[in-house]
Amino acid sequence: MATLPVRPRRNRATESIRSLVRETTLTPSDLIWPLFVVDGENERVPIGSMPGCFRFSRDILVQEAREAFDSGVPAVALFPALPESLKDPLAKESANPDGLLQHAIRDLKEALPELTVITDVAMDPYSSDGHDGVVRDGEILNDETLPILAEMAIAQALAGADIVAPSDMMDGRVGYVRAALDEAGHERVGILAYSAKYASAFYGPFREALESAPKSGDKKTYQMDPANVREALREVMLDIEEGADMVMVKPAMPYLDVIAAVRANVDVPVAAYQVSGEYAMLKAAGRLGWLDEDKVLRESLLAIKRAGADMILTYAAKAIAVGAG
Ligand code: PBG
């Protein structure tokens, strides 16, 4: 027999050897659980295109977050599902100290002070136009949107949010929100910037969950073109200069190259968002019996981490952490 000195398979021979040479591991502490909150009591309203996901009323939200936290998930990211009657062109409800989201933040911090509560800063759940900015004559106005984002972030910080996450992609919003938070005495509240957020069709199920789809037009004048990666680095650099504590790439699995490029170029922590459409895709194939849902979810999250993400927002966070997939 010819000798073959180099045999990579030797390092894969047993699970114990594989565990020694493993380069990346996935643990619950890498995960952030995005949660939808709805008014009412004892509510678990299913979301059709996101099997296993619900809009929870605040009481259930606290129970669910506690189970996730007890299983090792350190953080949740909150999104309010509001009735149309509370939406208007200027997203006024977003600054209401008595609003649904603000109550949910207080409930969570009271029950679970160690849980990190991340809140989204963007107009869309509150906007009758379904856009992340102020709309005038079909145009999304940048500078007119910034003060609304700042008020929203301050209301969230006052309620107890640990980290605010601007997801709107307006220019200059991180710096604007940072200054506003500092001026209001919230210098300890962090900013997780949705820096490279693409105009993606993978957000469809999320918009169903919040009934927040744009009433007209699309988000291409503010969210990024899926064709671009250098532009993502520019966005990330700007957000860091403006004071972002962490940056995000979104979606995740179709954008692993972007995650890797960002990781290679910055020293701040990098988050990736496995968005609603990614989750829906894997769950749908699982339901049809075409894929092993638990295995593909874990593999996809491991791959996102391997690409360079320090933390991952995923709707599967609790299921992965408790081991049910
Ligand atoms: C809103 C926001 C969106 C998501 C997170 N924050 C939707 C959008 O930009 O239209 C998408 C999350 C997901 O699809 O899971 N600014």
Side-chain angles (χ1 to χ4, degrees):
M1 259 230 294
T3 95
L4 186 52
V6 180
R7 290 180 181 271
R9 288 186 57 190
R10 279 195 287 260
N11 285 349
R12 303 198 286 265
T14 64
E15 177 49 30
S16 55
I17 294 177
R18 290 193 294 275
S19 78
L20 286 173
V21 303
R22 190 160 292 139
E23 300 173 31
T24 310
T25 51
L26 182 75
T27 74
S29 66
D30 301 322
L31 305 179
I32 297 167
W33 194 21
L35 288 167
F36 303 107
V37 55
V38 73
D39 200 21
E41 254 174 69
N42 201 23
E43 293 280 359
R44 297 170 182 270
V45 189
I47 301 161
S49 52
M50 301 174 72
C53 291
F54 304 84
R55 303 176 191 88
F56 296 127
S57 54
R58 285 154 45 203
D59 48 344
I60 309 290
L61 184 82
V62 170
Q63 276 176 28
E64 290 282 334
R66 176 175 283 120
E67 283 169 30
F69 186 70
D70 288 346
S71 307
V73 175
V76 296
L78 300 181
F79 299 95
L82 298 177
E84 215 45 48
S85 58
L86 286 179
K87 302 185 183 185
D88 68 53
L90 296 177
K92 290 204 191 75
E93 177 65 12
S94 64
N96 180 0
D98 272 324
L100 171 66
L101 180 76
Q102 273 64 252
H103 276 296
I105 299 167
R106 281 191 216 105
D107 290 354
L108 283 171
K109 290 306 293 186
E110 202 166 294
L112 303 160
E114 299 296 315
L115 174 77
T116 294
V117 173
I118 303 174
T119 50
D120 208 66
V121 178
M123 288 175 62
D124 55 333
Y126 309 93
S127 155
S128 47
D129 295 304
H131 274 287
D132 295 16
V134 177
V135 184
R136 192 190 298 149
D137 301 328
E139 199 186 322
I140 314 301
L141 304 179
N142 195 87
D143 299 12
E144 287 77 354
T145 300
L146 300 181
I148 297 173
L149 300 175
E151 290 306 310
M152 190 183 315
I154 289 171
Q156 295 169 351
L158 257 180
D162 299 289
I163 297 177
V164 297
S167 71
D168 52 283
M169 290 301 279
M170 296 300 121
D171 291 334
R173 89 275 204 222
V174 171
Y176 199 96
V177 165
R178 182 71 273 162
L181 285 173
D182 287 357
E183 237 163 76
H186 299 295
E187 65 283 337
R188 288 209 299 247
V189 172
I191 296 184
L192 164 59
Y194 283 69
S195 301
K197 176 171 180 179
Y198 288 87
S200 171
F202 284 98
Y203 307 150
F206 175 96
R207 293 178 189 170
E208 179 202 325
L210 296 189
E211 292 170 3
S212 64
K215 299 279 162 40
S216 65
D218 53 41
K219 298 193 174 184
K220 290 181 185 170
T221 67
Y222 46 108
Q223 298 180 347
M224 281 183 51
D225 186 335
N228 295 351
V229 61
R230 292 190 299 269
E231 187 185 350
L233 295 177
R234 185 166 184 239
E235 285 284 3
V236 162
M237 294 307 176
L238 275 172
D239 285 354
I240 294 172
E241 273 168 34
E242 290 177 29
D245 300 285
M246 309 167 174
V247 296
M248 192 198 296
V249 175
K250 175 185 175 188
M253 203 156 69
Y255 295 83
L256 295 182
D257 58 323
V258 181
I259 297 172
V262 169
R263 171 73 293 158
N265 281 279
V266 306
D267 292 321
V268 299
V270 176
Y273 199 143
Q274 181 180 55
V275 300
S276 56
E278 297 177 68
Y279 173 85
M281 224 165 43
L282 300 177
K283 292 295 266 196
R287 292 204 145 189
L288 285 166
W290 292 353
L291 288 174
D292 181 323
E293 186 179 304
D294 182 45
K295 287 194 175 130
V296 291
L297 273 167
R298 284 172 195 278
E299 184 178 330
S300 64
L301 294 169
L302 186 69
I304 293 164
K305 223 189 143 191
R306 189 199 61 231
D310 299 297
M311 60 195 113
I312 307 170
L313 291 94
T314 174
Y315 298 98
K318 182 185 153 199
I320 294 279
V322 304

